[in-house]
Amino acid sequence: MVKTSKTYRIAAIAGDGIGQEVTPAAVSVLDAAAARGAFRVDWQHFPWGSQHYFDHGRMMPEDALDLLRPFDAILFGAVGDPRIQDNVTLNGLLLPIRRGFDQYACVRPAVLYAGVRCPLAGRQGGDIDFVVVRENTEGEYAQIGGGLHTGGPYEVAIQTATFTRHGTERVIRFAFDLARRRNGKRLLTSVTKSNAQGFSMGFWDRVFTQVARDYPDVRTESLLVDAACMDLVRRPGDFDVIVASNLFGDILTDLSAAITGSIGLAPSANLNPARTAPSLFEPVHGSAPDIVGKGIANPLATMLAGAMMLDFLGETDAAARVDAAVRAVLADGRAVTPDLGGPGTTQGVTDAVLARL
Ligand SMILES: NC(=O)c1ccc[n+]([C@@H]2O[C@H](COP(=O)([O-])OP(=O)(O)OC[C@H]3O[C@@H](n4cnc5c(N)ncnc54)[C@H](O)[C@@H]3O)[C@@H](O)[C@H]2O)c1
């Protein structure tokens, strides 16, 4: 019997759609991992999201960040409801948490696991293993802008991307540090569109070059985002760490999820590296209204996000156990859900992971 010494307080926000299906699955796996380690997880569930919006006119209460602040971390499911404009749901729940808690580094690993069919010809498990670091608090998602003459023939829409030296430099520095820590290639690829967006992206390129001087042991390359999309398909095995702005990181990680088998497998960590506020861990995917309620949502991305959470909390052995259990279920292949070509269900995959733990 393992002696329980430490308790982590984790806020769980299952949110919308399949978030309600994959979050409990991940919670059960993390509880099982904790039971085998020397720690406990004390969950508090927050019923925020689109139903909260229908009931109260807000996606979460006004003092939500105050309620979340004392927690060690946040596990998040998904947000988005076809009955509400996406910018209302996203800006009412997820983005204020990312910004308010200064979770400036969004870390999204892209791994082709053994047993997973890659849509690119000739690739096998282990051939793809990189991580995208996405700037998470400003850039194109800064939510600065407005409209004029709304609905009329002279309607104007303005959305301003915002890049600060502080925000740009710190995420690039984080990515360099990650490239140093990851075992191997020590290659950092910066992705911009500075040929067309000379002000913001030209600035990003300059900061990247300046910060690179502090990391002579890390090789660098800079790609335009269109070329990067091509290269992620043509030569995904070459990448190690990629750093990009909020929008480009968002788009690149749907692509990286697709080339590694399924968005149902792609985890995401929204990190406050200074640990001045809780970090948030979630799957890359959204609320998937097309499959909600069918019991076939793949919970593995949320479980892998949970493993990233354990790792960030310092529970590296438990994190490795969850990761290994997920890998074993994928390699076996019998329990996996339809997005991975299997006949499985959310519950079936969860049971299989629990059995491997
Ligand atoms: N972080 C988030 O919460 C987040 C991210 C992206 C989209 N959204 C929101 O989610 C809603 C739906 O957006 P979308 O359809 O563009 O993206 P989505 O990620 O929800 O779904 C895209 C496709 O992938 C499939 N899919 C996603 N997750 C899956 C899983 N775990 N298992 C199996 N299949 C899975 C879906 O069935 C769908 O066909 C929108 O309201 C959008 O704004 C939220």
Side-chain angles (χ1 to χ4, degrees), residues 33-193:
R36 295 210 44 210
F39 66 99
R40 283 188 61 238
V41 182
D42 181 6
W43 299 95
Q44 185 163 340
H45 296 271
F46 291 92
W48 300 341
S50 295
Q51 192 52 51
H52 192 276
Y53 180 86
F54 288 124
D55 295 341
H56 305 282
R58 303 178 55 91
M59 294 295 288
M60 60 181 175
E62 222 161 325
D63 61 349
L65 294 195
D66 294 334
L67 297 174
L68 292 175
R69 197 176 292 278
F71 285 87
D72 293 310
I74 303 162
L75 185 69
F76 189 87
V79 59
D81 185 303
R83 295 166 293 176
I84 312 174
Q85 263 196 347
D86 280 340
N87 72 318
V88 173
T89 50
L90 200 59
N91 282 298
L93 188 60
L94 193 51
L95 297 191
I97 298 175
R98 286 179 182 164
R99 274 197 298 265
F101 287 161
D102 213 13
Q103 295 162 352
Y104 69 82
C106 179
V107 178
R108 296 184 159 180
V111 179
L112 180 59
Y113 292 106
V116 175
R117 200 174 53 82
C118 181
L120 309 177
R123 313 272 175 190
Q124 291 166 1
D127 285 352
I128 303 176
D129 185 353
F130 62 87
V131 53
V132 177
V133 177
R134 163 191 177 190
E135 200 294 317
N136 217 24
T137 54
E138 52 178 50
E140 306 87 344
Y141 292 5
Q143 193 60 0
I144 293 178
L148 190 63
H149 309 308
T150 307
Y154 303 109
E155 181 164 4
V156 178
I158 296 174
Q159 183 104 34
T160 304
T162 304
F163 291 82
T164 65
R165 177 167 285 277
H166 173 70
T168 306
E169 184 173 332
R170 66 182 180 174
V171 78
I172 290 174
R173 218 168 259 291
F174 179 93
F176 268 109
D177 287 333
L178 184 59
R180 242 182 203 168
R181 276 202 313 277
R182 263 169 70 87
N183 37 12
K185 293 182 187 147
R186 290 193 171 212
L187 169 66
L188 179 60
T189 306
S190 167
V191 175
T192 63
K193 186 67 185 170

Side-chain angles (χ1 to χ4, degrees), residues 229-269:
C229 288
M230 243 173 14
D231 285 347
L232 282 181
V233 172
R234 289 192 309 186
R235 54 175 192 95
D238 290 352
F239 292 97
D240 181 13
V241 179
I242 296 173
V243 64
S245 67
N246 215 329
L247 173 66
F248 292 168
D250 195 0
I251 296 170
L252 288 175
T253 48
D254 264 37
L255 179 53
S256 63
I259 60 171
T260 49
S262 169
I263 198 163
L265 266 187
S268 175

Side-chain angles (χ1 to χ4, degrees), residues 18 22 76 78-81 86 94 98 263-264 282 284-291 296-298 339:
I18 62 165
V22 295
F76 189 87
V79 59
D81 185 303
D86 280 340
L94 193 51
R98 286 179 182 164
I263 198 163
E282 59 172 340
V284 169
H285 64 73
S287 57
D290 54 336
I291 59 165
I296 55 166
N298 188 346
D339 57 306

